[in-house]
Amino acid sequence: MMRWIVGTSMKFRYLVLAGALGMLVLGLVQLPSTPVDAFPEFAPPRVEIQTAALGLSATEVEELVTIPLEQSLNGVEGLDTMRSKSVTDLSLIDLRFDRSTDLLRARQLVQERVNLVTPTLPRWASPPFMIQPLSSTSRAMKIGLSSDTRSVIEMSMTSYWNIRQRLIRVPGVANVTIYGERLQMYQVQVDPGRLADNKVSLNQIMDATADALDAGLLQFSDGGFIGTGGQVETPNQRLGVRTVLPIVTPEDLAKVAVVEQDGRTLRIGDVANVVEDHQPLIGDAVINDGPGLMLIVEKFPWANTVDVTNGVDAALEQLAPGLQGIKVDAELFRPATFINLAISNLMTALLIGCLLVVLILIAFLFEWRTALISVVAIPLSLVAAGLVLYQSGAVINTMILAGLVVAVGVVVDDAIIDVENILRRLRQHRRDGTGGSTMRIILEASLEVRSAILYATIINLVAVVPVFFIEGLTGAFFQPLIAAFALAVLASLIVALTVTPAMALLLLRNAPLERRDVPPLVRGLQRGYTWLLARTIRSPKPAYAMIGVIVALAAAVLPLLGQSLLPSFKERDFLMHWLLKPGSGHPEMIRITEQVSKELRAIPGVRNFGAHVGQALQADEPYGIDFTENWISIDPEVDYDHTVAEIQRVVDGYPGLQRDVQTYLKERVKEVLTGASESIVIRVIGPDLDVLRAKADEVRNSLAGIEGITDLTRDQIVDVPQVRVTVDLAAAQAYGLKPGDVRRASATLVAGEEVGDI
């Protein structure tokens, strides 16, 4: 078989070389447009369900929303792990599936289960919704908006109606969440004292407000029924009637009548302040020391970060004329910069390696024709592997490039052995004057080494096959590396069987090869090796002693070597988790965040600062207002290690809260491994919270003495101060009130209720 392949390749050498040239050209044209990313998709298929339940405490959310959903979702096909989190106003259920599960099928199965349980949930809870499918490294960009001339409410409306709607159309963008969003609305801020003085109930004010609008949202009020305009008929035409709402400003709404009392009309403005304001905040943002908005662009699993970033940049450029007075900072977090730098560095290393190989080939072979054959064979093998990956839809990442870099050693070996043996046989033939055509000599010379090379190739491939059976995070990282390595090795074998003999026949048939058999560099190395080998054979004891010393040193060093799945990448974007004691207030969190923003931005090389606090609507992180993620980026020109040390020093200056400094890639890997941002998480499970706290403290104290642990914390599961309203049934009965009336009134006064749209 191999004889036929090699012989046919030489017979149709021009066709083979044309195909090789075409492949190189195709690679040069297509491979630069191949999608690139930092890492392969390493997270298992994941589905996240959120249910908003405004006005409920974390305990009520858990009992009334989360538990019924968990019971319904148990047993979904392929489900590996289900975690849930209940916070004030929001329930989140995170489902992780087996890695072999099809993501879209998993989403469908989950949606069917959710549909079954939705009718049984409390009516006032929003219908559960499924977060978009997100990549392992879902954060593609973080964009900060700030302004000296426009309010945060104005920026919020511009962001929601213009910026978000444009960015969501960028191919690959799954979602754009807005932290710090303040929705523009007219608020009737009722004064209980004035209500009492005028003997008007809160329900009357709500009804009057809802009924004054075209679209009232109170279900059982007159405003809940929208009347049609109808039409007016004339002898020759029909005129449609459209009612134009006269309420345009808060002042207009304040003039709406509530009741007639003692011959006078009581208006909404008599018992309430009608103003333009925003909803109660569940989260916020700090941009470069002050208030602003943070837009987080998230991508689909099948999208790549660089293309998404370029698309978002183009969209922001189109939007720029309409964003007068708004400062747009698209550099808060930009992983595409790191990806481009990492890919560029790997490509540079690959090119330098290939260049060194070329120089060594010239020095060792000492014949330009043979060196040219090897120089063509090496990149051709790598390009062929790259084209296969491109056609299979693979995203080029650091692991794939690392596989190609590792494969260079095998590719070089394939290229050199064939050419060197062909050259040696041709010189021997011409020196001895033996018979036989050049084509037959090249054929026999190729086959002489091909069997051994074939066995070596098979051994190489068989040795890496077990990697494809590794499960979990390790398999997700190393399988692309081994796939790229295997493809390059196979491509090298095919090139050695086809292109190498074809080029050898074309270039070496009439070439003057009557030079000395051994190049000067090789002759010098041979003399040194012969001298060393002779001394070793005569007296092998020093060699044995040297081997013993090396083995002893290796055994001594082995325990000192660290073990890590990934190296420490020098990303230029950093995040700091910022966790105050649960129950801490919004103003305090903003004060501390603005303070650390000023300190971090004072460090030379720190270019900008952005923080998102708590939650955002339809975001994938359900945290309270006591949680913040601070993001900064540093200039590539500054000293990396020194700047990181300065950042750590500033963060360590806030000892009263839980904090850390890390890069996004490491944080995502930890989250996949442990479900949290820590490297190792120990979960203590049980029905009694007091016992759980005690046991957690015992575990923490036991771990405290272990060498190497640098950040040992316990989740702050504490009793959060609350204002409790307990209805006095006897007093309520005297006023004709029910407990539900009290709850609804207090909730409306404190949290507000939407009664209509303008």
Side-chain angles (χ1 to χ4, degrees):
M1 182 66 178
M2 285 193 294
R3 177 179 292 273
W4 178 84
I5 294 174
V6 176
T8 304
S9 299
M10 288 192 292
K11 183 177 180 181
F12 298 100
R13 52 190 174 278
Y14 292 107
L15 187 60
V16 169
L17 294 178
L21 180 62
M23 183 178 293
L24 281 173
V25 173
L26 183 64
L28 293 174
V29 172
Q30 285 195 341
L31 292 182
S33 62
T34 303
V36 296
D37 218 324
F39 289 148
E41 284 296 326
F42 55 85
R46 175 186 180 190
V47 180
E48 185 175 314
I49 304 295
Q50 290 189 14
T51 308
L54 300 181
L56 294 190
S57 67
T59 302
E60 292 170 323
V61 171
E62 176 79 11
E63 294 173 349
L64 301 175
V65 180
T66 303
I67 290 177
L69 281 170
E70 284 181 326
Q71 292 173 338
S72 175
L73 292 169
N74 256 324
V76 174
E77 182 183 344
L79 180 62
D80 180 38
T81 305
M82 178 165 59
R83 300 189 182 107
S84 68
K85 188 169 187 177
S86 300
V87 298
T88 302
D89 300 333
L90 185 68
S91 162
L92 180 144
I93 299 180
D94 183 6
L95 301 105
R96 308 288 176 98
F97 289 81
D98 297 332
R99 290 184 178 272
S100 59
T101 304
D102 179 74
L103 174 60
L104 298 183
R105 173 175 167 77
R107 291 174 65 84
Q108 169 137 8
L109 294 174
V110 170
Q111 187 62 61
E112 290 171 355
R113 293 289 187 94
V114 169
N115 291 342
L116 288 175
V117 75
T118 297
T120 68
L121 297 178
R123 183 178 56 80
W124 31 257
S126 298
F129 67 92
M130 191 182 299
I131 292 290
Q132 295 85 347
L134 299 176
S135 168
S136 307
T137 50
S138 58
R139 304 292 195 267
M141 285 182 77
K142 291 182 184 282
I143 304 168
L145 303 181
S146 57
S147 177
D148 297 328
T149 59
R150 301 181 67 174
S151 68
V152 180
I153 292 179
E154 288 181 279
M155 290 194 296
S156 297
M157 303 310 290
T158 300
S159 298
Y160 181 81
W161 290 107
N162 299 97
I163 301 177
R164 183 180 187 275
Q165 301 305 319
R166 176 62 185 87
L167 297 186
I168 210 77
R169 299 192 341 243
V170 173
V173 172
N175 191 23
V176 179
T177 55
I178 306 173
Y179 277 88
E181 184 177 32
R182 289 160 169 80
L183 301 175
Q184 183 183 17
M185 58 181 62
Y186 297 158
Q187 291 186 352
V188 180
Q189 298 177 350
V190 177
D191 185 338
R194 283 191 276 171
L195 283 181
D197 292 342
N198 289 280
K199 300 180 181 179
V200 178
S201 70
L202 181 62
N203 284 343
Q204 286 178 288
I205 302 300
M206 293 173 65
D207 289 340
T209 306
D211 294 349
L213 307 177
D214 282 341
L217 299 181
L218 294 181
Q219 189 171 358
F220 301 107
S221 73
D222 292 338
F225 303 92
I226 302 176
T228 59
Q231 62 270 340
V232 174
E233 293 282 1
T234 70
N236 61 349
Q237 67 181 135
R238 172 179 290 182
L239 300 175
V241 177
R242 181 172 69 90
T243 303
V244 179
L245 183 69
I247 297 174
V248 179
T249 66
E251 290 75 18
D252 298 331
L253 185 58
K255 297 174 183 176
V256 172
V258 180
V259 293
E260 291 284 339
Q261 283 185 347
D262 302 326
R264 74 183 184 94
T265 300
L266 185 69
R267 306 179 188 280
I268 293 177
D270 295 332
V271 293
N273 299 320
V274 184
V275 298
E276 180 182 307
D277 211 325
H278 57 80
Q279 83 284 6
L281 294 177
I282 59 174
D284 208 345
V286 173
I287 306 297
N288 293 331
D289 310 345
L293 301 177
M294 179 181 285
L295 278 62
I296 300 181
V297 180
E298 299 175 301
K299 65 186 180 74
F300 287 116
W302 48 86
N304 74 87
T305 306
V306 174
D307 285 351
V308 169
T309 302
N310 293 336
V312 170
D313 284 340
L316 291 176
E317 187 176 351
Q318 291 177 350
L319 291 168
L323 302 179
Q324 299 298 322
I326 298 178
K327 302 173 186 175
V328 180
D329 188 347
E331 302 286 341
L332 290 179
F333 173 65
R334 194 180 180 87
T337 303
F338 167 74
I339 292 170
N340 288 330
L341 180 62
I343 298 297
S344 174
N345 288 341
L346 273 173
M347 290 299 295
T348 301
L350 189 60
L351 291 174
I352 291 174
C354 291
L355 178 61
L356 292 174
V357 167
V358 170
L359 295 176
I360 292 173
L361 285 174
I362 294 173
F364 276 83
L365 296 177
F366 211 62
E367 215 289 324
W368 71 268
R369 295 174 183 84
T370 54
L372 178 62
I373 296 171
S374 298
V375 167
V376 171
I378 293 169
L380 185 61
S381 301
L382 299 178
V383 168
L387 286 174
V388 172
L389 292 169
Y390 176 83
Q391 293 300 323
S392 65
V395 176
I396 300 300
N397 51 65
T398 52
M399 306 309 291
I400 286 179
L401 285 177
L404 295 178
V405 171
V406 173
V408 168
V410 179
V411 172
V412 169
D413 190 58
D414 264 359
I416 292 178
I417 288 179
D418 258 5
V419 174
E420 193 274 337
N421 195 57
I422 290 171
L423 181 63
R424 184 166 56 84
R425 288 301 185 191
L426 285 174
R427 283 176 172 167
Q428 182 181 358
H429 164 69
R430 295 187 183 181
R431 184 176 62 246
D432 299 344
T434 55
S437 66
T438 303
M439 183 174 180
R440 176 167 293 278
I441 294 169
I442 294 176
L443 174 62
E444 297 299 333
S446 297
L447 294 176
E448 276 181 357
V449 296
R450 193 41 42 198
S451 295
I453 296 300
L454 178 62
Y455 296 150
T457 302
I458 294 173
I459 292 171
N460 271 324
L461 296 179
V462 170
V464 299
V465 165
V467 177
F468 290 101
F469 297 96
I470 297 177
E471 298 181 351
L473 188 65
T474 305
F477 271 103
F478 286 102
Q479 286 168 6
L481 185 151
I482 296 304
F485 170 81
L487 284 173
V489 170
L490 285 173
S492 175
L493 176 63
I494 295 171
V495 169
L497 288 172
T498 56
V499 178
T500 300
M503 289 189 68
L505 180 60
L506 189 67
L507 293 175
L508 302 178
R509 170 185 289 181
N510 300 315
L513 303 175
E514 295 78 9
R515 297 182 181 178
R516 47 198 159 192
D517 288 340
V518 182
L521 180 59
V522 175
R523 186 184 302 111
L525 292 174
Q526 284 180 344
R527 282 199 298 265
Y529 176 68
T530 302
W531 175 83
L532 181 62
L533 182 62
R535 289 178 61 90
T536 303
I537 292 174
R538 286 196 303 269
S539 179
K541 290 182 180 180
Y544 295 152
M546 180 64 69
I547 293 172
V549 170
I550 293 174
V551 171
L553 289 174
V557 171
L558 185 61
L560 304 178
L561 295 177
Q563 295 185 8
S564 178
L565 175 63
L566 295 172
S568 296
F569 294 99
K570 291 195 173 184
E571 296 176 69
R572 297 284 164 170
D573 300 303
F574 292 89
L575 71 93
M576 288 138 280
H577 293 110
W578 213 243
L579 186 60
L580 289 179
K581 184 177 179 180
S584 298
H586 174 224
E588 175 64 8
M589 177 59 83
I590 296 300
R591 183 191 69 81
I592 294 177
T593 304
E594 290 180 349
Q595 178 62 34
V596 78
S597 171
K598 295 174 183 177
E599 293 187 40
L600 288 172
R601 282 174 20 99
I603 298 174
V606 174
R607 297 186 297 191
N608 44 28
F609 176 94
H612 55 85
V613 181
Q615 304 174 32
L617 295 175
Q618 298 187 353
D620 63 339
E621 292 189 338
Y623 295 108
I625 205 75
D626 51 12
F627 176 85
T628 295
E629 280 188 1
N630 302 321
W631 296 81
I632 62 172
S633 63
I634 63 175
D635 195 306
E637 303 300 324
V638 299
D639 182 85
Y640 184 88
D641 295 328
H642 174 74
T643 306
V644 173
E646 285 296 300
I647 294 169
Q648 187 69 59
R649 180 187 60 79
V650 169
V651 172
D652 289 342
Y654 291 79
L657 43 78
Q658 290 187 13
R659 65 218 182 271
D660 58 27
V661 177
Q662 55 185 315
T663 60
Y664 180 61
L665 291 179
K666 278 201 169 183
E667 192 262 354
R668 291 305 301 152
V669 171
K670 291 178 182 178
E671 201 279 334
V672 170
L673 281 172
T674 66
S677 59
E678 288 78 23
S679 301
I680 299 174
V681 174
I682 298 173
R683 292 181 171 86
V684 185
I685 302 170
D688 191 312
L689 191 57
D690 290 332
V691 175
L692 286 177
R693 290 171 182 149
K695 292 299 180 184
D697 287 334
E698 289 181 23
V699 172
R700 181 179 59 182
N701 294 335
S702 299
L703 298 175
I706 297 177
E707 184 179 355
I709 293 180
T710 57
D711 186 14
L712 180 61
T713 58
R714 174 173 74 84
D715 273 358
Q716 299 189 60
I717 302 177
V718 298
D719 293 326
V720 177
Q722 294 179 330
V723 176
R724 299 181 62 180
V725 179
T726 304
V727 177
D728 185 330
L729 288 177
Q733 186 177 7
Y735 288 101
L737 295 174
K738 300 178 288 297
D741 297 330
V742 176
R743 172 166 188 151
R744 284 185 290 273
S746 62
T748 301
L749 284 171
V750 176
E753 181 172 346
E754 187 177 4
V755 299
D757 291 318
I758 295 181

